[in-house]
Amino acid sequence: MRLLDDVVRGVAAHRPPPAARRVPPHRVRVLRRGRAGTAGGARAARQGADEDRPEGLAMAEWLVAEGVPRDVILVEDRARTTRENLALGCALLDDAGLTGPYLVATNSYHAPRAAMEAMDLGLDVHAIGAPTAGYFYPSAYLREFVAVLRRRPAVHVVVVTGIVLVSGLASVLTVLGT
């Protein structure tokens, strides 16, 4: 299985933050064995004014510093979303003659949505999640929850409406039955 690098946000700084550095051990072990992978990262927006380089490049530099040979790293530095990062990263590996299935190493809170996005794109990808610091869980899971809801709003509206209607009908029948 080829390794498609993590899909994380906010790693364009000089050194990836702790949340991003928790992901690489999965990836570093594979890459040190000489298997090719991409260093990428989905940006929430374009490269910020305070970011001196794209996230994919920052992650690639970090991997090299961790002992991964530079010649097994392909950098994906154009994506602005998880979906784009998956599509562009897989295309980059395919173009290099490295076919799937691919392994996405990301944070534990992000792995389920990354897997859903890959499935929607028809990519042969498996997502694994690295441990996430406890203090980061509330905001991270809330962000992922909202992102999942935004993927298919009509489906969620229908489901919630159905739940409300069934609950309301059950309440009315309970009141009338007593």
Side-chain angles (χ1 to χ4, degrees):
M1 185 173 296
R2 303 288 184 191
L3 185 72
L4 177 63
D5 193 5
D6 61 285
V7 183
V8 296
R9 296 176 192 271
V11 294
H14 289 288
R15 183 170 185 228
R21 290 192 314 264
R22 282 188 189 88
V23 174
H26 295 291
R27 169 176 69 245
V28 170
R29 284 192 295 271
V30 174
L31 293 176
R32 280 186 183 146
R33 294 185 201 129
R35 296 190 180 136
T38 64
R43 297 184 297 281
R46 295 193 196 285
Q47 184 176 331
D50 63 335
E51 299 171 339
D52 62 350
R53 62 194 176 286
E55 295 168 13
L57 184 56
M59 290 304 294
E61 291 168 359
W62 189 85
L63 288 168
V64 169
E66 290 295 307
V68 175
R70 179 69 184 106
D71 62 336
V72 301
I73 301 171
L74 303 171
V75 177
E76 189 299 286
D77 59 0
R78 298 179 308 162
R80 295 185 321 140
T81 66
T82 296
R83 192 175 191 87
E84 287 178 5
N85 188 223
L86 288 164
L88 293 170
C90 287
L92 186 63
L93 289 166
D94 285 340
D95 290 347
L98 304 166
T99 58
Y102 302 112
L103 179 66
V104 174
T106 188
N107 292 300
S108 59
Y109 63 86
H110 187 58
R113 185 165 64 91
M116 284 188 270
E117 294 286 1
M119 212 171 17
D120 284 354
L121 291 168
L123 300 173
D124 191 4
V125 168
H126 305 279
I128 60 168
T132 301
Y135 68 87
F136 199 63
Y137 271 101
S139 63
Y141 275 99
L142 180 60
R143 186 185 75 218
E144 292 298 310
F145 178 74
V146 170
V148 168
L149 289 179
R150 289 180 58 194
R151 288 168 41 100
R152 294 193 179 88
V155 170
H156 293 102
V157 167
V158 169
V159 169
V160 168
T161 301
I163 291 170
V164 168
L165 290 175
V166 168
S167 298
L169 180 61
S171 297
V172 168
L173 292 176
T174 301
V175 169
L176 293 177
T178 56

